[in-house]
Amino acid sequence: MEITGQTKLMFVLAHPIGHVRATAILNAHFQSIGRNVAASPLHVAPEDLETVIGAIRKMRNVIGFGTTIPHKIPVMRHLDELTPNARNVGAVNFTRRDEDDRLIGHNTDGLGFVAGLKANGVDPVGKRVLQIGAGGAGRAVAFALAEAGASALRIINRDVGKAADLARNIVALYPDCDATAGPEKAEDFDIVVNTTSVGMKEDDPIPIDLGRTGPATVVADVIMSPPVTRLLAKAAERGCKTIGGKVMPDEQMGLVTAFLHV
Ligand SMILES: NC(=O)c1ccc[n+]([C@@H]2O[C@H](COP(=O)([O-])OP(=O)(O)OC[C@H]3O[C@@H](n4cnc5c(N)ncnc54)[C@H](OP(=O)(O)O)[C@@H]3O)[C@@H](O)[C@H]2O)c1
């Protein structure tokens, strides 16, 4: 595409930067919908985050920026406003720069996950979900599932205190969702989702025993690389419906475009 003075710009801030793919997905999306917007990775060390955000605030052809590891939480203290979603999750992955230089942070990770489920014919309404993980992605997915009408959410995490905190946070906001923490049998749930990073490395263990699950169970993983984790391969062997992490960024593009007022 031709980048000119008419082009609106956005950035994705990360440290390290080499693994960042979101800009390619964003650029392909903007092009596919015919928008004159370009996204570029920006390598920003943690100690420079405040300076860089201060500069972006004053750049009048910048519509916003994405944040990924390690900036998703620290970015929050430099913003003027957070959407309820970002506040609940406690992390920001996209920030909009409004014309009055105000910066508004949002989180689309969980919303993208739920949109990905729905795009694959799985509606969380009334579903019982077993979630592994209570980190950043886990919090985003849990709030989005509760918001989307999941009836029960059982959260397992290596740090059990984090799972218990997340379950308490969910119940406080969504009393109709029976959110609890602790181990459980996978076959007692409609949806099993891994939100941990366990499965990114080839020799990682499968993060949950799939027990007697079969075609009635949907097994999802937020990990994007590899596209088919050992968990998903095992689930497919058992006849479960499987959904990989790539659906999340794909489905988030529409949400990001709307949030950034592109
Ligand atoms: N598809 C997407 O669009 C998308 C978006 C965001 C993130 N992700 C992926 O989601 C994964 C998690 O990212 P995050 O941002 O949530 O990271 P995070 O905040 O650091 O959380 C990591 C999670 O993994 C657990 N964990 C890590 N190592 C473990 C181990 N050896 N054994 C058991 N549990 C372990 C952590 O448990 P503790 O709490 O006990 O440490 C925590 O629940 C990553 O693979 C990331 O790439 C995908």
Short mmCIF file of all heavy atoms in Angstrom, two decimals, residues 72 109 133-138 157-159 162 195-198 200 222-224 245 248-249 252, ligand 1:
data_model
loop_
_atom_site.label_atom_id
_atom_site.label_comp_id
_atom_site.label_asym_id
_atom_site.label_seq_id
_atom_site.Cartn_x
_atom_site.Cartn_y
_atom_site.Cartn_z
N LYS A 72 1.18 -4.99 28.57
CA LYS A 72 -0.28 -5.00 28.68
C LYS A 72 -0.80 -4.46 30.02
O LYS A 72 -1.86 -3.85 30.07
CB LYS A 72 -0.81 -6.43 28.50
CG LYS A 72 -0.91 -6.88 27.06
CD LYS A 72 -1.53 -8.26 27.00
CE LYS A 72 -1.86 -8.64 25.58
NZ LYS A 72 -2.52 -9.95 25.50
N ASP A 109 -9.05 -9.38 23.86
CA ASP A 109 -8.61 -10.78 23.79
C ASP A 109 -9.76 -11.77 24.03
O ASP A 109 -10.00 -12.67 23.23
CB ASP A 109 -7.52 -11.06 24.84
CG ASP A 109 -6.14 -10.63 24.36
OD1 ASP A 109 -5.92 -10.59 23.13
OD2 ASP A 109 -5.28 -10.36 25.22
N GLY A 133 -5.83 -22.05 33.53
CA GLY A 133 -5.08 -20.80 33.45
C GLY A 133 -5.85 -19.62 33.99
O GLY A 133 -7.06 -19.50 33.80
N ALA A 134 -5.12 -18.74 34.70
CA ALA A 134 -5.72 -17.53 35.26
C ALA A 134 -4.76 -16.36 35.12
O ALA A 134 -4.72 -15.46 35.94
CB ALA A 134 -6.08 -17.77 36.73
N GLY A 135 -3.96 -16.38 34.05
CA GLY A 135 -3.06 -15.26 33.74
C GLY A 135 -3.83 -14.20 32.96
O GLY A 135 -5.06 -14.13 33.03
N GLY A 136 -3.11 -13.40 32.18
CA GLY A 136 -3.75 -12.32 31.43
C GLY A 136 -4.79 -12.85 30.44
O GLY A 136 -5.94 -12.39 30.43
N ALA A 137 -4.40 -13.82 29.62
CA ALA A 137 -5.33 -14.37 28.64
C ALA A 137 -6.49 -15.06 29.37
O ALA A 137 -7.65 -14.96 28.95
CB ALA A 137 -4.62 -15.35 27.71
N GLY A 138 -6.17 -15.73 30.47
CA GLY A 138 -7.20 -16.45 31.24
C GLY A 138 -8.25 -15.50 31.80
O GLY A 138 -9.45 -15.77 31.73
N ASN A 157 -5.59 -23.51 38.00
CA ASN A 157 -4.35 -22.79 37.70
C ASN A 157 -3.25 -23.31 38.60
O ASN A 157 -3.51 -23.75 39.72
CB ASN A 157 -4.55 -21.29 37.92
CG ASN A 157 -3.43 -20.47 37.30
OD1 ASN A 157 -3.11 -20.65 36.13
ND2 ASN A 157 -2.83 -19.56 38.07
N ARG A 158 -2.01 -23.25 38.08
CA ARG A 158 -0.86 -23.69 38.89
C ARG A 158 -0.84 -22.89 40.20
O ARG A 158 -0.77 -23.47 41.28
CB ARG A 158 0.43 -23.44 38.09
CG ARG A 158 1.68 -23.82 38.82
CD ARG A 158 2.89 -23.63 37.93
NE ARG A 158 3.04 -22.24 37.46
CZ ARG A 158 4.02 -21.82 36.70
NH1 ARG A 158 4.94 -22.67 36.28
NH2 ARG A 158 4.10 -20.55 36.32
N ASP A 159 -0.98 -21.58 40.13
CA ASP A 159 -1.12 -20.75 41.32
C ASP A 159 -2.62 -20.72 41.65
O ASP A 159 -3.39 -19.98 41.04
CB ASP A 159 -0.59 -19.35 41.00
CG ASP A 159 -0.79 -18.36 42.15
OD1 ASP A 159 -1.64 -18.61 43.02
OD2 ASP A 159 -0.09 -17.32 42.15
N LYS A 162 -4.65 -17.46 42.35
CA LYS A 162 -5.07 -16.63 41.21
C LYS A 162 -6.37 -17.15 40.62
O LYS A 162 -7.24 -16.37 40.19
CB LYS A 162 -3.97 -16.61 40.14
CG LYS A 162 -2.93 -15.53 40.38
CD LYS A 162 -1.67 -15.73 39.57
CE LYS A 162 -1.83 -15.47 38.10
NZ LYS A 162 -0.55 -15.64 37.37
N THR A 195 -5.83 -21.69 28.65
CA THR A 195 -5.38 -20.30 28.48
C THR A 195 -3.96 -20.13 29.02
O THR A 195 -3.50 -19.00 29.16
CB THR A 195 -6.33 -19.31 29.20
OG1 THR A 195 -6.19 -19.48 30.61
CG2 THR A 195 -7.77 -19.50 28.78
N THR A 196 -3.29 -21.24 29.37
CA THR A 196 -1.91 -21.12 29.84
C THR A 196 -0.96 -21.14 28.64
O THR A 196 -1.38 -21.38 27.51
CB THR A 196 -1.51 -22.29 30.78
OG1 THR A 196 -1.36 -23.47 29.99
CG2 THR A 196 -2.53 -22.52 31.87
N SER A 197 0.31 -20.90 28.92
CA SER A 197 1.31 -20.99 27.84
C SER A 197 1.84 -22.41 27.72
O SER A 197 2.75 -22.66 26.93
CB SER A 197 2.44 -20.00 28.13
OG SER A 197 2.82 -20.08 29.48
N VAL A 198 1.28 -23.35 28.49
CA VAL A 198 1.75 -24.75 28.43
C VAL A 198 1.24 -25.39 27.15
O VAL A 198 0.03 -25.55 26.97
CB VAL A 198 1.27 -25.54 29.68
CG1 VAL A 198 1.75 -26.98 29.60
CG2 VAL A 198 1.76 -24.87 30.95
N MET A 200 3.20 -24.39 24.23
CA MET A 200 3.95 -23.62 23.22
C MET A 200 5.23 -24.36 22.83
O MET A 200 5.66 -24.32 21.68
CB MET A 200 4.31 -22.23 23.75
CG MET A 200 3.10 -21.34 23.97
SD MET A 200 3.56 -19.73 24.61
CE MET A 200 4.00 -18.88 23.11
N VAL A 222 -5.75 -21.25 23.48
CA VAL A 222 -5.46 -19.88 23.04
C VAL A 222 -4.08 -19.78 22.39
O VAL A 222 -3.75 -18.76 21.79
CB VAL A 222 -5.56 -18.84 24.19
CG1 VAL A 222 -6.94 -18.85 24.81
CG2 VAL A 222 -4.48 -19.03 25.21
N ILE A 223 -3.28 -20.82 22.53
CA ILE A 223 -1.93 -20.79 21.95
C ILE A 223 -2.03 -20.75 20.42
O ILE A 223 -2.79 -21.51 19.82
CB ILE A 223 -1.13 -22.03 22.43
CG1 ILE A 223 -0.83 -21.88 23.92
CG2 ILE A 223 0.15 -22.22 21.61
CD1 ILE A 223 -0.18 -23.09 24.56
N MET A 224 -1.25 -19.84 19.83
CA MET A 224 -1.30 -19.70 18.36
C MET A 224 -0.19 -20.48 17.69
O MET A 224 -0.30 -20.85 16.54
CB MET A 224 -1.19 -18.22 17.99
CG MET A 224 -2.47 -17.46 18.23
SD MET A 224 -2.45 -15.90 17.39
CE MET A 224 -1.27 -15.02 18.36
N GLY A 245 -5.90 -21.27 18.68
CA GLY A 245 -5.74 -19.88 19.11
C GLY A 245 -5.80 -18.84 18.01
O GLY A 245 -6.01 -17.66 18.28
N MET A 248 -8.56 -16.17 17.65
CA MET A 248 -8.65 -14.96 18.50
C MET A 248 -8.23 -13.70 17.76
O MET A 248 -9.01 -12.76 17.67
CB MET A 248 -7.86 -15.14 19.80
CG MET A 248 -8.61 -15.96 20.82
SD MET A 248 -7.59 -16.39 22.24
CE MET A 248 -7.44 -14.84 23.10
N PRO A 249 -7.00 -13.63 17.20
CA PRO A 249 -6.64 -12.41 16.47
C PRO A 249 -7.51 -12.20 15.24
O PRO A 249 -7.87 -11.06 14.92
CB PRO A 249 -5.17 -12.63 16.07
CG PRO A 249 -4.92 -14.07 16.24
CD PRO A 249 -5.88 -14.56 17.29
N GLN A 252 -10.65 -10.72 16.34
CA GLN A 252 -10.50 -9.41 17.00
C GLN A 252 -10.41 -8.25 16.02
O GLN A 252 -10.60 -7.10 16.40
CB GLN A 252 -9.23 -9.41 17.86
CG GLN A 252 -9.41 -10.12 19.18
CD GLN A 252 -8.16 -10.01 20.03
OE1 GLN A 252 -7.82 -8.95 20.52
NE2 GLN A 252 -7.47 -11.12 20.20
N1 LIG B 1 -4.54 -16.27 20.62
C1 LIG B 1 -4.38 -15.04 21.10
O1 LIG B 1 -4.83 -14.02 20.51
C2 LIG B 1 -3.69 -14.85 22.43
C3 LIG B 1 -3.84 -13.63 23.14
C4 LIG B 1 -3.18 -13.51 24.38
C5 LIG B 1 -2.39 -14.55 24.84
N2 LIG B 1 -2.28 -15.70 24.12
C6 LIG B 1 -1.47 -16.83 24.60
O2 LIG B 1 -1.94 -17.18 25.89
C7 LIG B 1 -0.89 -17.79 26.63
C8 LIG B 1 -0.82 -17.17 28.01
O3 LIG B 1 -0.52 -15.79 27.87
P1 LIG B 1 -0.78 -14.75 29.06
O4 LIG B 1 -0.64 -13.39 28.49
O5 LIG B 1 -2.04 -15.11 29.80
O6 LIG B 1 0.46 -15.06 30.02
P2 LIG B 1 0.52 -14.88 31.62
O7 LIG B 1 -0.32 -13.75 32.06
O8 LIG B 1 1.97 -14.90 31.93
O9 LIG B 1 -0.17 -16.23 32.19
C9 LIG B 1 0.44 -17.49 31.97
C10 LIG B 1 -0.51 -18.59 32.42
O10 LIG B 1 0.12 -19.86 32.12
C11 LIG B 1 0.35 -20.55 33.36
N3 LIG B 1 1.63 -21.28 33.27
C12 LIG B 1 2.78 -20.81 32.72
N4 LIG B 1 3.74 -21.76 32.81
C13 LIG B 1 3.17 -22.83 33.40
C14 LIG B 1 3.64 -24.13 33.75
N5 LIG B 1 4.90 -24.51 33.50
N6 LIG B 1 2.79 -24.99 34.34
C15 LIG B 1 1.51 -24.62 34.59
N7 LIG B 1 0.99 -23.40 34.28
C16 LIG B 1 1.82 -22.52 33.70
C17 LIG B 1 0.37 -19.49 34.42
O11 LIG B 1 0.13 -20.08 35.68
P3 LIG B 1 0.58 -19.28 37.03
O12 LIG B 1 -0.48 -18.22 37.23
O13 LIG B 1 0.55 -20.33 38.07
O14 LIG B 1 1.94 -18.71 36.76
C18 LIG B 1 -0.77 -18.59 33.92
O15 LIG B 1 -2.02 -19.17 34.18
C19 LIG B 1 0.39 -17.58 25.79
O16 LIG B 1 0.65 -18.76 25.09
C20 LIG B 1 0.00 -16.47 24.83
O17 LIG B 1 0.73 -16.54 23.63
C21 LIG B 1 -2.92 -15.87 22.93
#
